[in-house]
Amino acid sequence: MTSSDSKTRIVVVGNGMVGHHFVEQLHNSDANADITVLCGESRLAYDRVYLSSYFSGASADDLALTTPAQYASWGVNVVTNAIVTDIDRENKTVVTSEGQKFDYDKLVLATGSYPFVPPIKGNDQEHCLVYRTIEDLLAIEASASVSKVGVVVGGGLLGLEAANALKQAGLDTHVVEFAPQLMAVQLDTTGGDVLKQKISSLGVTVHTQKATQSIEAGDSCRYKMVFADGSELETDMILFSAGIRPSDQLGRKASLTLGERGGIAIDNHCLTSDPNIYAIGECALWDNKIFGLVAPGYTMARTAVSHLTGGDSVFTGADMSTKLKLMGVEVGSIGDAHERTEGALSYTYLNQPEGVYKKLVVDSEQKRVLGAVLVGDTSDYDTLLQYALNDIALPEFPESLILPTSGDTPALGADALPDTASICSCLNVTKGDIVSAIDGGCCSVADVKGETKASTGCGGCAALLKNVVDGELEKRGVEVSKAICEHFNYTRQELFHIVKVNGIRTFDELLEAHGEGLGCEICKPAVGSILASVYNDYILKESHLPLQDTNDIYLGNMQKDGTYSVVPRVPGGEITPEKLILLGEVAKEYQLYTKITGGQRIDLFGARVEQLPDIWQKLVEGGFETGHAYAKALRTVKSCVGSTWCRYGVQDSVGTAIDLENRYKGLRAPHKIKFAVSGCTRECAEAQSKDIGVIATEQGWNLYVCGNGGMKPRHADLFATDLDTQTLIKYIDRVLMFYVKTADRLQRTSVWMDNLEGGLAYLQDVVINDALGINGELEAQMDAVVDAYQCEWKTTIEDPQSRKRFRQFVNSSETDTNIQFVSERGQVRPATVAEKAAGVGQFIPVSMV
């Protein structure tokens, strides 16, 4: 195939993330080129960084980075299922396995890498898989559907991602690692140990220092892994994630120079030993290094484009720092994490109970950051990375950079960064690039992302990017966007109004009409809360399910050992002997730890996920409803006995508390809400520490609003006095719905009111005097929510499809061996790690739902 004009014929072999980035950059360069892309897979480039999101609902289309239509609009000729088998360097042609022949002037090899499968006897059997492509995910999904136990071989970054996929598929998951610790490349020994403890606490069993010798037929499972130390592990499927190897076969066959351990050798322009052939990404070897992250590959792609178009960019290596969340555990690694630089010193912080470990590595003169390790809390990552990348001098007390309790932690805001500071290492975007984009007319984070591509790689720099953009816009007197996240350029309040006005009932509808991208852990639960506040639909409807966090998905609070707590609603704290007996019977039958809460509820701990529907069926049949203890919703309305029994009581506090709890149960809000009603000013229900506090007077009720307990206790403010019951409810309706509609996500009522301009007085003006003319709407919206109430557990146990989701394993009733209890004060409690290791803990058998 030859070009019909004088354009340079450029053939790109490989259409992964790096290959696609090369094509995109070349297209943007306006090069006079005839571009042909030969893609070995059946689909075009997709985002491998977010591959695991496939198991949490993302589709192949969601992961796609481009489309045939986009390539067509760029004038790019793309051929899928085109596996290149030969390069004829003399005649400058490549040939595919189908016999197609393509001529080139310049050839770009972006063939990536392939998963390394250790040479273990039996590794090629069915259900022995790898984790690399979407097709691999389909195979994993199929295998998981007929398996109950899964093992990942490899405890590195990708291995833990794969383990997360198996865990999400409902399998009893194990990780087998040859090294003494997890993520040995990125973390030091202590960091690896803390990560192991946190991963183990999530129900994944980690086996380190295990060398697999063979995979044989199992006794209780499909296979049995036999280790060098003589121990064995039974499993139904195995995922190999033991590293990558460069796909350099084409280069080897074409006699290009390769490294001793593989990889196509390139120079600083990404040229191979053939001046007409470039290699970029994981197939390329630079300075005897293969870079296994996408950011260096992107830099190589830009370097190759620069060289092709007469630019002077060179590839000089890459920063391999990384921040990620593995199975919900935050992990960060910067620079010399292993303290290998001569004379290096370190500061460390270990909070074992919370599972937080931080290490700061500095040079011998204690002037510069060399590296860092963060496990369990990566909030310091962006600051430390800027110190390391930009050679910023350390503050007087360097340990203050990682110590959480220091009040003297030096701030490193966007203004402190030089223009050369790297903000997005994936796309090599500096602060200077961002400033230039804003100077050029960009007025939002989205604009800057579109112009510079910053934060479109791994996304780890999103917070820092917003910080820089906001700072630069404010300098120019531009009002900064309060967008909830990068996917919606609206505040939570604006999204609420959009949902309500347009009658939008699902996240996908909202995203398609008013957002972009796939959504994230910020906007999804926020939109879920908004939809629930507006419509009060069943939250486990198929369309709402991906928006919920773990507690909402299982309608219970997950505890530290992976079990759940069961908290039935007890309106006003009033309960009959029959219901008390039922709670005792359920607790006894399922061996649940039982405790009375501060909110006048009975909390039953230790229920495994598969037990939850049976437990709730008994409770619902006995007249109980869900207490929403897992939700950002009304939790409790506490009461004293009031005038019914107390000689000081002046009003029926129990009856009012029951009425209030029944009215507002199921109301979803930006944060949890608690009420209390006291029968007199002696305040036995502690109403002034609640979001809504009601205290009886001789003339009626005093209403207090926007107090809370918790980490930052705040007394509620007196809102109105001597109210009759009808007015009391009317005011509460208005306050709550105004809060639901206008507060930010996860904003408590106290913070919300303090942020209102005018504070309490303004709120009183809105609610009592109808200063905004919206009280009719607020009351109508509350009535709609009240009318739509349903007990989420009652709906769940009546739906066979919903019940199926509450299973530990898809096809087995076997016990989750991570859940072990010991007896204490006549009840069970979770066994500690030491107790499990000592064999003190006991398993409790389960039955299928």
Side-chain angles (χ1 to χ4, degrees):
M1 182 178 292
T2 58
S3 175
S4 59
D5 53 30
S6 60
K7 292 182 178 179
T8 301
R9 297 165 300 183
I10 299 177
V11 174
V12 183
V13 181
N15 194 227
M17 296 180 74
V18 173
H20 170 67
H21 192 67
F22 172 86
V23 174
E24 185 179 35
Q25 295 298 308
L26 187 61
H27 165 72
N28 292 339
S29 72
D30 293 325
N32 187 30
D34 185 353
I35 308 170
T36 297
V37 175
L38 303 179
C39 178
E41 293 187 46
S42 60
R43 61 183 91 239
L44 298 183
Y46 52 87
D47 193 341
R48 293 186 203 276
V49 175
Y50 288 98
L51 210 54
S52 62
S53 66
Y54 181 85
F55 290 99
S56 56
S59 66
D61 288 342
D62 293 333
L63 294 172
L65 295 175
T66 187
T67 62
Q70 184 177 54
Y71 273 174
S73 69
W74 292 353
V76 173
N77 174 37
V78 59
V79 185
T80 54
N81 295 309
I83 300 174
V84 177
T85 55
D86 289 291
I87 303 171
D88 182 344
R89 291 169 54 191
E90 184 174 348
N91 294 306
K92 293 186 180 178
T93 60
V94 295
V95 179
T96 71
S97 59
E98 299 295 317
Q100 292 176 290
K101 187 177 177 183
F102 298 86
D103 298 330
Y104 67 83
D105 296 314
K106 300 293 181 182
L107 179 65
V108 179
L109 300 178
T111 49
S113 62
Y114 62 90
F116 170 65
V117 178
I120 300 168
K121 183 181 178 183
N123 64 8
D124 56 350
Q125 301 178 73
E126 189 181 7
H127 302 285
C128 292
L129 308 167
V130 295
Y131 183 79
R132 180 67 177 168
T133 67
I134 288 179
E135 274 62 36
D136 292 336
L137 300 186
L138 298 175
I140 292 169
E141 196 172 47
S143 179
S145 68
V146 292
S147 300
K148 58 183 179 180
V149 183
V151 171
V152 175
V153 177
L157 192 157
L158 282 178
L160 296 180
E161 283 277 351
N164 189 33
L166 292 187
K167 188 67 180 172
Q168 289 185 52
L171 272 65
D172 178 15
T173 304
H174 298 253
V175 173
V176 172
E177 168 59 44
F178 178 76
Q181 66 168 88
L182 297 175
M183 292 187 68
V185 175
Q186 293 88 0
L187 304 181
D188 63 354
T189 303
T190 305
D193 288 345
V194 173
L195 179 61
K196 179 181 177 181
Q197 291 168 16
K198 292 187 77 76
I199 296 292
S200 299
S201 71
L202 296 173
V204 173
T205 307
V206 179
H207 311 261
T208 53
Q209 289 187 292
K210 291 289 185 184
T212 311
Q213 287 196 323
S214 64
I215 301 168
E216 304 171 0
D219 298 321
S220 59
C221 293
R222 190 175 289 128
Y223 300 125
K224 175 171 62 182
M225 300 176 72
V226 180
F227 302 119
D229 61 6
S231 59
E232 298 174 348
L233 176 62
E234 296 263 340
T235 183
D236 294 308
M237 63 181 295
I238 299 171
L239 294 189
F240 290 105
S241 184
I244 58 168
R245 295 292 183 270
S247 292
D248 55 11
Q249 302 90 331
L250 273 177
R252 187 183 303 277
K253 200 171 180 181
S255 299
L256 298 175
T257 300
L258 270 62
E260 290 183 6
R261 301 177 63 183
I264 303 169
I266 59 172
D267 64 13
N268 290 357
H269 300 296
C270 297
L271 271 176
T272 68
S273 53
D274 185 324
N276 294 308
I277 302 178
Y278 297 83
I280 55 176
E282 292 174 349
C283 69
L285 180 77
W286 179 87
D287 193 25
N288 284 317
K289 298 172 188 170
I290 297 287
F291 296 91
L293 296 177
V294 72
Y298 280 1
T299 305
M300 290 181 186
R302 292 192 295 273
T303 302
V305 169
S306 174
H307 193 248
L308 275 166
T309 55
D312 56 5
S313 297
V314 291
F315 182 78
T316 57
D319 171 52
M320 297 297 282
S321 301
T322 185
K323 179 178 76 170
L324 58 156
K325 186 177 282 189
L326 298 165
M327 305 177 69
V329 181
E330 296 181 3
V331 178
S333 174
I334 295 172
D336 184 8
H338 291 276
E339 206 176 329
R340 288 172 177 148
T341 305
E342 186 176 352
L345 301 170
S346 66
Y347 301 84
T348 60
Y349 166 75
L350 174 62
N351 181 339
Q352 206 164 16
E354 297 294 330
V356 175
Y357 171 67
K358 300 181 181 184
K359 182 172 83 169
L360 174 66
V361 182
V362 302
D363 66 356
S364 58
E365 297 180 345
Q366 301 172 57
K367 291 183 177 178
R368 298 285 183 269
V369 172
L370 299 177
V373 175
L374 304 168
V375 178
D377 177 7
T378 58
S379 57
D380 299 321
Y381 178 87
D382 288 343
T383 298
L384 295 175
L385 182 63
Q386 293 306 321
Y387 269 98
L389 293 182
N390 299 297
D391 221 16
I392 297 173
L394 281 167
E396 182 179 0
F397 302 104
E399 65 272 23
S400 64
L401 294 174
I402 58 172
L403 291 178
T405 57
S406 171
D408 300 321
T409 302
L412 186 61
D415 286 346
L417 299 176
D419 280 354
T420 55
S422 175
I423 303 302
C424 174
S425 56
C426 289
L427 280 299
N428 194 31
V429 180
T430 66
K431 179 184 173 185
D433 296 329
I434 293 169
V435 173
S436 296
I438 294 172
D439 287 341
C442 291
C443 296
S444 66
V445 172
D447 287 348
V448 172
K449 288 175 71 172
E451 178 67 21
T452 66
K453 302 299 183 188
S455 194
T456 59
C458 72
C461 64
L464 181 59
L465 172 66
K466 188 173 189 311
N467 192 9
V468 173
V469 172
D470 288 354
E472 291 300 319
L473 289 174
E474 286 175 349
K475 282 181 189 175
R476 293 159 174 77
V478 177
E479 186 178 354
V480 174
S481 167
K482 304 299 183 186
I484 191 170
C485 71
E486 64 187 87
H487 303 103
F488 290 100
N489 193 27
Y490 300 99
T491 64
R492 181 189 179 280
Q493 180 182 350
E494 290 168 335
L495 285 177
F496 190 104
H497 292 157
I498 290 171
V499 166
K500 194 163 187 303
V501 170
N502 294 290
I504 293 173
R505 300 196 72 108
T506 68
F507 178 83
D508 289 343
E509 284 181 55
L510 183 66
L511 187 69
E512 183 176 353
H514 301 280
E516 59 182 19
L518 304 176
C520 64
E521 60 186 21
I522 295 175
C523 61
K524 284 184 175 178
V527 173
S529 172
I530 291 170
L531 291 169
S533 298
V534 174
Y535 302 112
N536 218 1
D537 281 345
Y538 177 46
I539 66 164
L540 299 186
K541 278 177 66 175
E542 202 65 31
S543 58
H544 298 332
L545 197 54
L547 310 181
Q548 314 305 331
D549 63 20
T550 300
N551 285 347
D552 275 313
I553 287 175
Y554 292 106
L555 304 177
N557 273 323
M558 177 186 266
Q559 305 299 329
K560 61 192 293 183
D561 61 344
T563 61
Y564 290 82
S565 57
V566 174
V567 189
R569 186 170 296 284
V570 182
E574 183 180 83
I575 190 167
T576 63
E578 288 75 18
K579 285 188 173 179
L580 271 176
I581 291 169
L582 175 59
L583 289 177
E585 288 174 343
V586 169
K588 189 174 181 180
E589 179 179 352
Y590 292 91
Q591 301 183 47
L592 304 177
Y593 170 82
T594 307
K595 186 180 184 306
I596 295 175
T597 73
Q600 299 180 331
R601 301 291 179 270
I602 295 176
D603 210 342
L604 308 176
F605 290 83
R608 289 184 299 276
V609 64
E610 67 275 10
Q611 295 176 319
L612 289 172
D614 281 351
I615 290 174
W616 273 106
Q617 182 152 7
K618 295 177 190 295
L619 295 175
V620 169
E621 288 173 354
F624 285 104
E625 295 179 323
T626 174
H628 285 103
Y630 46 84
K632 299 291 183 286
L634 174 71
R635 295 288 180 84
T636 62
V637 180
K638 186 178 180 181
S639 75
C640 62
V641 293
S643 59
T644 308
W645 291 89
C646 177
R647 64 183 186 275
Y648 300 107
V650 295
Q651 300 284 353
D652 179 12
S653 55
V654 176
T656 302
I658 293 171
D659 290 343
L660 292 176
E661 183 154 354
N662 282 328
R663 177 165 180 79
Y664 301 110
K665 62 187 178 186
L667 172 66
R668 296 278 174 158
H671 212 296
K672 62 184 176 184
I673 303 171
K674 293 184 179 180
F675 282 31
V677 181
S678 285
C680 73
T681 54
R682 298 172 73 88
E683 250 284 70
C684 292
E686 301 168 320
Q688 293 177 76
S689 63
K690 300 295 189 288
D691 300 273
I692 299 293
V694 179
I695 300 176
T697 69
E698 296 285 352
Q699 289 74 38
W701 304 100
N702 284 353
L703 174 60
Y704 291 77
V705 299
C706 301
N708 61 255
M711 295 178 67
K712 294 182 178 178
R714 183 189 188 283
H715 251 225
D717 288 314
L718 180 60
F719 187 81
T721 59
D722 297 332
L723 303 173
D724 60 66
T725 302
Q726 186 179 5
T727 306
L728 173 76
I729 292 174
K730 186 187 299 181
Y731 284 1
I732 295 174
D733 276 3
R734 295 172 183 176
V735 170
L736 287 182
M737 193 48 68
F738 192 42
Y739 163 66
V740 166
K741 293 179 74 168
T742 62
D744 288 335
R745 59 180 289 272
L746 302 181
Q747 190 175 45
R748 301 205 68 157
T749 55
S750 57
V751 179
W752 166 71
M753 188 177 73
D754 289 343
N755 287 346
L756 293 176
E757 190 173 347
L760 175 66
Y762 173 73
L763 186 59
Q764 289 171 318
D765 203 24
V766 171
V767 170
I768 299 174
N769 302 323
D770 201 11
L772 301 180
I774 60 173
N775 283 344
E777 182 188 343
L778 296 176
E779 291 171 20
Q781 180 63 38
M782 182 62 79
D783 285 340
V785 171
V786 171
D787 290 344
Y789 170 77
Q790 61 184 306
C791 172
E792 289 159 358
W793 263 115
K794 184 173 187 295
T795 305
T796 300
I797 61 178
E798 290 174 349
D799 179 6
Q801 290 303 315
S802 294
R803 291 185 66 126
K804 287 180 180 177
R805 297 183 50 259
F806 292 84
R807 291 184 175 182
Q808 193 68 251
F809 308 118
V810 295
N811 62 345
S812 170
S813 61
E814 289 194 4
T815 300
D816 180 346
T817 55
N818 182 61
I819 299 175
Q820 298 180 35
F821 298 119
V822 296
S823 179
E824 186 173 89
R825 297 189 293 275
Q827 297 201 78
V828 298
R829 66 158 173 81
T832 64
V833 174
E835 288 168 340
K836 290 179 183 177
V840 177
Q842 67 176 108
F843 303 105
I844 297 178
V846 302
S847 57
M848 289 285 285
V849 175

